[in-house]
Amino acid sequence: YAVYHGPEGLRRIARRVQVLTTALAAALRRVGARVNEGPHFDTLTIGHVAAARVHAAAEAKRINLRHIDETSVGISLDEAT
């Protein structure tokens, strides 16, 4: 993977993933979601949600989210996002 993309390709992919993660965090905050404030690269934690309901809706659309607990879910983005 690294050899195929090379150093600049990996940097481009990383920048894109980080920009998309930042944009997603901002959009979620605009609709009232509580998103982790700490530094993030590709992963967000959204708290104070009905996690079971969020997971059911995501699974219906074939979206894989991280199970954290009953009130929090995790979202990770990658180069396929």
Side-chain angles (χ1 to χ4, degrees):
Y1 187 85
V3 171
Y4 178 79
H5 291 286
E8 187 50 41
L10 291 176
R11 278 189 282 277
R12 186 180 69 254
I13 291 167
R15 281 191 296 268
R16 180 176 179 275
V17 168
Q18 201 279 323
V19 164
L20 290 173
T21 304
T22 300
L24 176 59
L28 287 167
R29 287 186 184 107
R30 278 194 302 275
V31 298
R34 293 192 183 183
V35 181
N36 61 304
E37 292 294 331
H40 54 266
F41 168 64
D42 64 347
T43 302
L44 301 172
T45 301
I46 296 81
H48 302 283
V49 296
R53 210 171 112 217
V54 171
H55 285 291
E59 288 170 12
K61 295 184 182 283
R62 301 181 51 93
I63 297 171
N64 186 25
L65 300 177
R66 180 174 171 222
H67 291 269
I68 296 175
D69 59 33
E70 282 120 25
T71 61
S72 303
V73 298
I75 301 174
S76 294
L77 286 75
D78 64 14
E79 67 277 5
T81 300

